[in-house]
Amino acid sequence: MDNQLESLIKRLARLPGLGPRSARRAVLFLLQNRDRMMLPLAEELGNVAKAVRNCAECGNLDNADICALCRDDKRDRRVLCVVEDVGDLWAMERAAVYRGIYHVLGGTLSAIDGRGPAELNIDRLIARASNDVDEVILALSATVEGQTTAHYLHERLSSLPLEVTRLAHGVPVGGELDYLDDGTLAQAMKARSKLGS
Amino acid sequence: MDNQLESLIKRLARLPGLGPRSARRAVLFLLQNRDRMMLPLAEELGNVAKAVRNCAECGNLDNADICALCRDDKRDRRVLCVVEDVGDLWAMERAAVYRGIYHVLGGTLSAIDGRGPAELNIDRLIARASNDVDEVILALSATVEGQTTAHYLHERLSSLPLEVTRLAHGVPVGGELDYLDDGTLAQAMKARSKLGS
């Protein structure tokens, strides 16, 4: 195979969710649609790489220094939702149940990966939370590392006059009990609620 | 989400094998690796889109008018392997069992999709096959359309002094009989061979 082609396929195959086989199919598809897909994709990738940056306020991705969410006057600035990364922020926005503002941590504390508090966007969180915020929602993963991080943040935030909350654990919508792990089931049982309430 | 970002994600999601979720993950991964992945990918896509073309001889993709396989003196020019598309040619080359040259048809005959003989690279095949070729191997899919195309090509090639062969049908290596369809099993039974031969 042509060297240029091979190098392109290898690079695409390194994207998450793609492998050598799907990278080959993607490249053939792109070559069949050069003007409509391949050249625009090249241009968009270049433009986004140059223009998109992290919001100086919350860490979200945007092509302005302060992101559209932080600029939005209709968002409630008294509620701050802490997420691990921008993908989680996007997931929250797609769910469309939250009207406050965000704070992107940039990961979780992890002894294995050597990520301590200094590696995460925590000082900025404390500063923002000290500024007229009533509630900090810790929307972190229900993993050991996510919960360790939540515990640490809770401690750091405890001196401030605000509430610290976390997402509910329980049975996922559409989930069957039979397939749930014991931990989830135990949490769902403990946090059970009255019908009709 | 930022418009530029959204447009990039939508475009990536249209690639075969990707969907909205994997496109979002891919873009976040690329943004975390701008210099090492995103900008090189943009450049390679643009370069390949401009440089890579179909070989004037066989239809393979290459950045020269005549592809590396057709230029290779060590390939046997008396055997011509007909494949549907460049992906199939690559698959044959990965298997590394064939040392002849190729001819890329550009698809199969298909009444449903309105592809007749004129839409495929057939006239050029007849011309090439007329030029000192001993065997034409029809390496087409074992589908109705692939076999219709094979039948049609066999007829077109029948006046030439050469052999027309097709790939064997049978049990795929690693395949379990229990999971095979009846058609494959019937073909494998009909084409059974003596042990030790």
Side-chain angles (χ1 to χ4, degrees), chain A residues 1-2 4-5 7-9 11-12 14-18 22 24-31 34 36-42 44-54 61-63 86-87 90 94, chain B residues 1-2 4-5 7-9 11-12 14-18 22 24-31 34 36-42 44-54 61-63 86-87 90 94:
Chain A
M1 200 188 305
D2 181 51
Q4 268 186 308
L5 260 178
S7 153
L8 173 60
I9 290 171
R11 193 174 292 281
L12 268 180
R14 283 163 59 193
L15 293 187
L18 281 173
S22 41
R24 282 193 298 267
R25 282 179 58 215
V27 167
L28 287 174
F29 170 80
L30 286 169
L31 281 167
R34 289 182 207 218
R36 206 167 49 77
M37 282 289 294
M38 196 167 190
L39 290 170
L41 180 59
E44 284 182 353
L45 278 168
N47 289 345
V48 167
K50 279 167 211 148
V52 170
R53 68 206 88 167
N54 288 103
L61 290 163
D62 202 283
N63 61 359
V86 175
W90 291 350
R94 283 199 302 281
Chain B
M1 199 189 304
D2 182 51
Q4 268 186 308
L5 260 179
S7 153
L8 172 61
I9 291 171
R11 194 174 292 281
L12 268 180
R14 283 162 62 193
L15 294 186
L18 281 172
S22 40
R24 281 194 299 268
R25 282 179 57 214
V27 167
L28 287 174
F29 170 81
L30 286 169
L31 281 167
R34 290 183 207 219
R36 206 168 48 77
M37 282 290 292
M38 197 170 189
L39 290 171
L41 180 59
E44 284 181 353
L45 278 169
N47 289 345
V48 167
K50 280 168 210 148
V52 170
R53 64 206 89 166
N54 287 103
L61 290 164
D62 202 284
N63 62 359
V86 174
W90 291 348
R94 283 199 301 281

